[in-house]
Amino acid sequence: MSPRIVSIGTAVPTTRVAQTEARDLFATQPGVDRLTARLIRAAFDAAEIEHRHTVLAQLALSGAPGPDDGTAFIDAERGLLRPTTGTRNDLYIRTAPALYAEAARVAMADAEIEASAVTHVVTVSCTGFFAPGPDYRLVRDLGLDPSVERYHLGFIGCAAAMPGLRLASRIAESDPAAVVLVVCVELCTLHIRPSADPQQIVAASVFADGAAAAVVTADPGAGREGGLELDRFSTALTSEGEADMVWTIGDHGFEMILSAEVPRIVGREIRGAVDRFLAGEATPDVWAVHPGGRSVLDRVEAGLELPPTALDASRGVLRDYGNMSSATILFILERMLRDDSVADGARLAALAFGPGLTVESALLTKRGATGSAVAGEPAGAAVGAVAGA
């Protein structure tokens, strides 16, 4: 049997910030001139995001200012501060493990998989580091067997869930009894900073925090029936873009370069990358495209000549959650798992974009009805118990 995603679980921090609220926070910072304020408002309004979640409770309009000890992100006058990278990473260490565990628990419960059945753990993140890391913490927090094989994929960027799923698929192909837990957690808002740089403004307007987990196995007797069969994967590097999407570590957080060229490069390259990936096969029935931003989705839609509704799931996740880096594509696939209009046997193409510029692709087939991972959650995400700072 082909490896399949049996289920997907998602989780987000408790603090939910309206896009208009975030826009006004950045636009009214001390020292922001009229031109910069206009750029901020235009970027935030054009993003087509309504809400985002964050571990930084201070960012909410009702949030209290941070402590006066160098660890605050917001002062008493609602001014954005510039804590060190160490301070930001410390908050990642305190808040990320609970989100890893929560998304994993939702996925395992929906898959009807006990902790004792998990044989491999793959964790994914580009927004924080610690060791022993999230893979180790999942073994402890979920009560997994201490002999579980563990892998961590770090600093790959927004496309990283795809290599995570590819690794899980390879493991399941080589070991038919394997049950692989893939968990992505990204706390992008830890790295916000006040800036007049247009690239930093664009990054601030779209990035958010979230977690997603997938249970992958080729064992037909493991978990419940149905899911998404993982048929094949592909990786492609565009002919340009190495300097247009860049993720580096600075003294005051991780620094994202996201130039205005990224959507244009995606638009120019996407047809060739997808044609090579499909290699003459029929056009997929459904598309799951990582929403790096609204303009990226627009370029993909135009470049592939897709109908206006083809990227509704991607646009819906962007609207409800923003860009949660690697976790985002799993939020989209989770919606498709629950969507009864995506029929048994439907062919899905998943696309994600990362630094390089890298295009990661996967072809999947939906099998059976799967229902919702979280009863009563129309958006598909469990709200986490992570209050943050």
Side-chain angles (χ1 to χ4, degrees):
M1 182 176 179
S2 299
R4 63 189 171 107
I5 299 174
V6 183
S7 67
I8 297 173
T10 61
V12 288
T14 55
T15 299
R16 183 169 180 254
V17 178
Q19 181 76 342
T20 53
E21 189 178 325
R23 176 201 65 197
D24 294 345
L25 172 65
F26 278 85
T28 57
Q29 288 301 300
V32 170
D33 58 35
R34 291 179 61 186
L35 177 59
T36 301
R38 287 176 60 188
L39 288 173
I40 291 171
R41 293 184 184 281
F44 277 71
D45 289 345
E48 293 189 358
I49 295 170
E50 293 183 2
H51 294 91
R52 289 181 279 166
H53 291 260
T54 174
V55 294
L56 298 175
Q58 301 168 38
L59 291 185
L61 190 61
S62 59
D68 188 19
D69 60 1
T71 64
F73 285 73
I74 299 281
D75 64 21
E77 286 73 42
R78 300 290 292 166
L80 283 167
L81 303 175
R82 296 172 61 87
T84 66
T85 301
T87 293
R88 298 170 193 262
N89 197 64
D90 285 345
L91 186 54
Y92 179 92
I93 294 169
R94 293 201 305 271
T95 57
L99 285 167
Y100 276 101
E102 184 170 5
R105 288 190 183 103
V106 173
M108 290 166 60
D110 188 54
E112 300 175 4
I113 290 287
E114 299 293 334
S116 59
V118 175
T119 60
H120 298 72
V121 167
V122 178
T123 52
V124 177
S125 189
C126 68
T127 48
F129 297 97
F130 63 100
D135 52 324
Y136 170 91
R137 283 294 304 267
L138 277 173
V139 172
R140 296 299 192 206
D141 294 346
L142 300 179
L144 305 182
D145 190 307
S147 66
V148 163
E149 292 186 20
R150 310 190 322 268
Y151 305 88
H152 180 72
L153 303 182
F155 226 63
I156 299 177
C158 291
M162 304 287 267
L165 291 174
R166 184 171 60 229
L167 173 57
S169 180
R170 299 290 187 263
I171 292 170
E173 285 174 341
S174 64
D175 180 359
V179 175
V180 188
L181 182 62
V182 180
V183 192
C184 304
V185 172
E186 303 291 5
L187 306 185
C188 304
T189 65
L190 289 180
H191 303 290
I192 63 166
R193 63 182 59 79
S195 177
D197 182 343
Q199 297 183 53
Q200 294 297 323
I201 291 171
V202 170
S205 73
V206 299
F207 282 109
D209 301 349
V215 174
V216 177
T217 186
D219 182 353
R224 60 180 175 79
E225 296 180 352
L228 296 173
E229 290 182 356
L230 296 165
D231 299 327
R232 56 188 177 86
F233 295 85
S234 176
T235 299
L237 291 178
T238 60
S239 59
E240 56 181 314
E242 184 175 350
D244 293 288
M245 187 188 295
V246 179
W247 192 226
T248 59
I249 299 175
D251 293 335
H252 297 280
F254 299 172
E255 299 174 1
M256 168 59 77
I257 294 174
L258 195 64
S259 83
E261 284 299 307
V262 169
R264 288 193 280 270
I265 294 169
V266 170
R268 286 196 300 269
E269 301 273 356
I270 193 63
R271 169 62 75 179
V274 169
D275 284 349
R276 289 189 296 273
F277 170 54
L278 293 177
E281 290 189 26
T283 301
D285 303 300
V286 185
W287 296 85
V289 179
H290 170 71
R294 177 196 55 78
S295 56
V296 169
L297 294 178
D298 290 346
R299 295 283 182 157
V300 171
E301 182 181 300
L304 296 179
E305 299 179 334
L306 300 176
T309 59
L311 302 183
D312 280 357
S314 297
R315 295 186 190 278
V317 168
L318 180 67
R319 179 193 65 235
D320 296 337
Y321 297 102
N323 180 349
M324 299 167 286
S325 190
S326 68
T328 318
I329 193 71
L330 290 177
F331 273 68
I332 299 166
L333 290 175
E334 195 273 340
R335 289 194 174 197
M336 293 178 173
L337 271 172
R338 295 184 296 109
D339 187 352
D340 291 338
S341 69
V342 181
D344 181 23
R347 302 280 275 169
L348 285 73
L351 304 173
F353 314 102
L357 227 116
T358 304
V359 181
E360 295 282 359
S361 308
L363 196 61
L364 309 91
T365 303
K366 186 172 181 180
R367 295 300 183 194
T370 57
S372 173
V374 184
E377 286 288 344
V383 176
V386 181

